[in-house]
Amino acid sequence: MSQISLRHLHRGPTTTLIFTIVRIEGDPVSISYDHTITVDNLIQASVKFEYIKCTFVPYVRMKKMEGVYNSPVPVTIQSDGFKEQFFCSDYWIEVKLNPFVHTSAGRTNFKCSNTSYSDRAHDITATCYIIEINVTVQAIIPTGFLPRKELYEDTESMDFQLHTKDGTVAVHKAVLFLHSDMFKMMLTNNWKESNEGQINMDGITVQTLKHLKDYMYLGILPEEGLEPLLQVAAHYFMDKLRADCSAKLVESVNSENINRLIALGCEFNIPELVRGLIFRIPDSIVNDMNYLKIDKSNDKVVEEN
């Protein structure tokens, strides 16, 4: 009888499901993983594979975990050329992925003494398949605590300022509390920033502060300017922003920015970014990298061919 097993790997913000299927020739055309799969305690899923014309077609069923906040949970599924985003709610949805064409990791013959075939042992052909499915769940702030657009536009009640050399952005202290324990400690104690009603955030531009405000109030990440925003998240211990920026940067990695992103992850101690880059970087990008740049100091760069 065909058998299936599962191994989990956590690669930065992505959970990789690695299925090992041993299929005996002549067995039924479908096989299911019988145990419920949970990802980040936000969604639950089950997976079924149909064997059609010597290929496996995966079907993934998923929905939110019980007790998760009311908003739909964004989930991105990627495998073997397939990549789409879905929104999990309280009801099961089923996603059909692309067929896995060349998944066979080995083929072996073994003896089977099943007397249903005959009175003597028979050689039975079995094939082992390794199938990988990547699941990225974007944890979002519960709806009940997410500042609405009206609050974002209510400049009259804003009681704090984020300041940098080229501009200032007004915000609410309460919104800062939601996103960072460091901000909360800073503004609820007798610190300089609390007394002055502003914090000086050197080394970034006012545009990055605007991106930060858009994220805190509306949950929006920019298409450009993610790297300085990630630095802010790392410096002020904004864990969710750090994870979301890392996930989006990993998706945009290429041969031109890979060295810079790895250096960024190491400098600001962002392990989820480094792990995501290491495990998710396509082979084509690795092949394009013909040298390694190592910063020895601000004015010296050593290149190794």
Side-chain angles (χ1 to χ4, degrees):
M1 181 177 180
S2 298
Q3 296 182 349
I4 183 171
S5 61
L6 171 64
R7 183 162 62 100
H8 294 77
L9 285 179
H10 296 283
R11 299 173 170 177
T14 298
T15 298
T16 299
L17 308 175
I18 303 175
F19 293 91
T20 301
I21 302 176
V22 178
R23 184 180 186 277
I24 299 175
E25 188 175 348
D27 270 7
V29 295
S30 66
I31 182 170
S32 299
Y33 184 74
D34 295 331
H35 303 286
T36 301
I37 304 165
T38 61
V39 181
D40 292 344
N41 292 320
L42 289 174
I43 69 165
Q44 55 184 327
S46 63
V47 181
K48 179 182 72 174
F49 300 91
E50 285 194 358
Y51 188 73
I52 303 174
K53 295 181 179 180
C54 299
T55 65
F56 272 109
V57 180
Y59 294 81
V60 179
R61 296 180 71 243
M62 55 186 175
K63 73 171 185 175
K64 290 193 310 181
M65 297 283 291
E66 292 186 8
V68 176
Y69 42 83
N70 293 329
S71 296
V73 177
V75 179
T76 300
I77 296 181
Q78 184 173 4
S79 63
D80 198 43
F82 177 94
K83 181 181 178 181
E84 288 190 26
Q85 186 180 65
F86 305 89
F87 292 89
C88 285
S89 64
D90 296 324
Y91 303 97
W92 289 99
I93 61 172
E94 184 172 84
V95 180
K96 179 181 177 182
L97 279 60
N98 292 343
F100 283 80
V101 180
H102 299 294
T103 54
S104 178
R107 190 176 182 89
T108 184
N109 295 327
F110 60 91
K111 294 285 187 178
C112 177
S113 58
N114 192 332
T115 57
S116 62
Y117 292 96
S118 69
D119 293 334
R120 61 185 181 86
H122 277 256
D123 287 342
I124 294 180
T125 300
T127 307
C128 178
Y129 296 86
I130 308 296
I131 297 175
E132 181 177 305
I133 300 175
N134 296 301
V135 181
T136 304
V137 179
Q138 181 183 346
I140 60 177
I141 300 174
T143 303
F145 298 96
L146 183 64
R148 297 182 180 274
K149 184 178 179 181
E150 292 80 1
L151 188 60
Y152 176 83
E153 296 174 346
D154 182 14
T155 57
E156 293 183 1
S157 65
M158 292 180 179
D159 52 2
F160 198 76
Q161 291 185 333
L162 307 177
H163 179 74
T164 189
K165 62 180 181 179
D166 62 342
T168 299
V169 172
V171 294
H172 297 86
K173 287 183 180 180
V175 174
L176 294 176
F177 292 174
L178 289 175
H179 290 271
S180 169
D181 289 338
M182 183 175 180
F183 279 134
K184 185 175 183 179
M185 180 175 63
M186 182 187 301
L187 300 178
T188 54
N189 292 284
N190 191 27
W191 287 29
K192 173 184 175 182
E193 290 81 3
S194 178
N195 295 330
E196 294 181 352
Q198 73 171 28
I199 180 173
N200 294 318
M201 305 176 73
D202 298 329
I204 59 174
T205 66
V206 70
Q207 185 61 52
T208 298
L209 293 183
K210 292 177 181 178
H211 291 329
L212 177 62
K213 182 177 179 179
D214 290 344
Y215 179 83
M216 291 192 299
Y217 282 81
L218 306 174
I220 298 173
L221 283 177
E223 294 301 319
E224 298 181 356
L226 279 172
E227 293 178 37
L229 187 60
L230 179 57
Q231 294 178 30
V232 172
H235 185 76
Y236 292 99
F237 300 98
M238 304 176 74
D239 294 339
K240 183 180 179 301
L241 175 58
R242 189 175 69 177
D244 289 346
C245 286
S246 297
K248 194 164 184 176
L249 284 170
V250 167
E251 296 297 331
S252 65
V253 64
N254 55 51
S255 57
E256 296 180 357
N257 65 15
I258 176 64
N259 286 333
R260 185 177 73 251
L261 292 179
I262 291 177
L264 176 66
C266 294
E267 180 181 355
F268 290 92
N269 190 24
I270 311 172
E272 59 266 43
L273 175 61
V274 178
R275 286 197 301 267
L277 292 169
I278 291 173
F279 286 109
R280 295 289 300 281
I281 179 171
D283 292 340
S284 59
I285 295 179
V286 177
N287 294 334
D288 287 341
M289 296 171 64
N290 55 12
Y291 63 89
L292 172 66
K293 292 184 177 180
I294 305 175
D295 276 324
K296 294 292 187 179
S297 65
N298 292 333
D299 57 355
K300 183 179 179 182
V301 175
V302 177
E303 295 189 1
E304 292 185 0
N305 291 323

